[in-house]
Amino acid sequence: MRLGRLGGLGQLWQTLRKLASIMLVCQLLSPLVAFVALCVASTASISTQTVDTTMDMQEQVQILSTTTSPAPVTADDSCCLDDTIPHSCPSDHTPTPLHPQCQDPSVSCSTLPLSCISCNCSYSCKYGATSNASCTAHPKAKCEGARNFTRQFLCSYCYLTDEETHRCSTRDIGCRSVGSPTSKSHWYIANCTTREDTICLGKQVFSKKMECNWTEGCSWKTALILSVSLGGFGADRFYLGHWQEGIGKLFSFGGLGVWTLVDVVLVSTGYIGPADGSLYI
């Protein structure tokens, strides 16, 4: 009777109660939806890994079949046309003999770092095996003993050496760690170089395609808990930095609960991540 006397305010109150009840029901269903989404996502990831493994094996077979035919020679390979003649390794290495570590007369020439010497390698070495490089101390470098000596190295091109020896530039602008791995913004071209004392074939400075894998500290567990418990108020979106979507969920009662359930699925499967494109911790 009191609500009837209030007229429009009573109808507004009843509408708000219905919206709140719908949001509450959807919020209560969120844990079940999250559990189902996680199960489906884990099953899909296993099948995707199986397909990727099969594709990798097919690619390896194709690579092995194509190695029997000679590859076309490019301008960058001009240094290696004659494998019997030793060439500089790395080919773009420039000694810096005036560095303090190259000016100690008590140090043996054979122990000088690569920055103090120049080395020549045979490109006909057995790939992946240990080989010998002919090295010479720079004329301006001070050391004792024989200035010509040999140094062992692993026969490999610089860009194919162990990744632990690579030093690459940080992520590019617009690099997004989340989202589809096939997206262009999920990868970036990094400028890399090998470790200073690494003797290898080819250039020691090269470009390398790398995956965006940086993080700013957002937790996936926290985002999922917020989505399941307070997703109707946009708490999960606010936590991840999606302020516009968070305000939209807050004033739409979680999209009448539908938006809440959708976000629970997206957050639980990792499809939605931090707004800055970083990874979860």
Side-chain angles (χ1 to χ4, degrees), residues 6-268:
L6 293 178
L9 292 177
Q11 294 179 358
L12 178 62
W13 173 251
Q14 291 179 358
T15 302
L16 292 176
R17 287 184 59 184
K18 291 180 180 179
L19 293 176
S21 60
I22 294 174
M23 184 181 67
L24 179 61
V25 172
C26 292
Q27 201 69 63
L28 293 176
L29 292 175
S30 296
L32 178 60
V33 173
F35 176 76
V36 174
L38 288 174
C39 294
V40 174
S42 60
T43 305
S45 63
I46 293 174
S47 60
T48 303
Q49 291 177 0
T50 305
V51 173
D52 292 341
T53 304
T54 305
M55 293 179 63
D56 291 340
M57 294 178 63
Q58 294 177 353
E59 291 178 356
Q60 291 178 2
V61 172
Q62 293 178 357
I63 292 174
L64 291 175
S65 61
T66 55
T67 52
T68 57
S69 59
V73 178
T74 61
D76 293 337
D77 299 329
S78 59
C79 68
C80 317
L81 291 178
D82 191 354
D83 292 341
T84 60
I85 301 177
H87 298 277
S88 299
C89 53
S91 59
D92 56 349
H93 171 64
T94 302
T96 55
L98 299 182
H99 195 275
Q101 60 184 356
C102 305
Q103 298 297 316
D104 189 356
S106 62
V107 176
S108 175
C109 294
S110 60
T111 60
L112 287 175
L114 189 61
S115 59
C116 309
I117 62 177
S118 298
C119 295
N120 291 328
C121 305
S122 175
Y123 279 73
S124 61
C125 60
K126 185 178 180 181
Y127 195 82
T130 302
S131 183
N132 292 323
S134 301
C135 301
T136 303
H138 195 275
K140 295 183 179 180
K142 298 180 180 180
C143 58
E144 65 175 0
R147 303 185 70 87
N148 297 324
F149 52 90
T150 59
R151 181 170 293 182
Q152 289 187 342
F153 75 102
L154 184 66
C155 182
S156 172
Y157 281 91
C158 295
Y159 69 93
L160 294 177
T161 55
D162 190 357
E163 293 187 356
E164 294 181 356
T165 64
H166 296 173
R167 294 181 301 176
C168 300
S169 58
T170 56
R171 67 181 188 274
D172 195 7
I173 299 176
C175 183
R176 300 188 62 83
S177 301
V178 296
S180 175
T182 59
S183 175
K184 292 183 179 180
S185 59
H186 191 72
W187 302 85
Y188 72 102
I189 303 300
N191 295 323
C192 302
T193 181
T194 56
R195 192 177 296 169
E196 295 180 357
D197 291 335
T198 302
I199 299 178
C200 51
L201 308 179
K203 296 182 178 181
Q204 62 180 350
V205 179
F206 52 91
S207 298
K208 183 178 180 181
K209 188 177 182 180
M210 300 187 65
E211 187 176 8
C212 303
N213 58 355
W214 58 287
T215 181
E216 290 293 339
C218 290
S219 172
W220 174 79
K221 292 182 179 180
T222 303
L224 182 59
I225 292 174
L226 290 176
S227 182
V228 171
S229 59
L230 299 174
F233 302 99
D236 51 348
R237 290 282 186 168
F238 286 123
Y239 173 73
L240 295 175
H242 302 279
W243 295 94
Q244 296 178 348
E245 292 85 348
I247 293 175
K249 288 182 68 175
L250 178 62
F251 289 99
S252 66
F253 291 92
L256 297 181
V258 177
W259 195 349
T260 301
L261 296 178
V262 171
D263 272 1
V264 168
V265 175
L266 297 179
V267 172
S268 59

